[in-house]
Amino acid sequence: MESGPAIFAGAAFALFGAALLLWTGTRVWQCRPVAHGASTPVAATLTATFGLVFAGAGVWLLLTG
């Protein structure tokens, strides 16, 4: 019974993390700012880190759910 919400949450986290990583990579590749008013290296590092965390949490939820 608990696997349904875990699968949904895992898919949502994994998709969000992947989209965040794709968006960050595209912005950095195009030499455009990642966050308004922030240093590009710092913003890219933090955004990529959170993208990896969300993608990893999604994969973990999918594997354990």
Side-chain angles (χ1 to χ4, degrees), residues 39-54:
S39 170
T40 300
V42 172
T45 302
L46 284 174
T47 308
T49 301
F50 279 108
L52 288 172
V53 167
F54 277 107

Side-chain angles (χ1 to χ4, degrees), residues 23-60:
W23 181 81
T24 303
T26 303
R27 298 292 285 190
V28 169
W29 183 63
Q30 294 175 348
C31 297
R32 299 183 76 192
V34 178
H36 180 69
S39 170
T40 300
V42 172
T45 302
L46 284 174
T47 308
T49 301
F50 279 108
L52 288 172
V53 167
F54 277 107
V59 170
W60 179 74

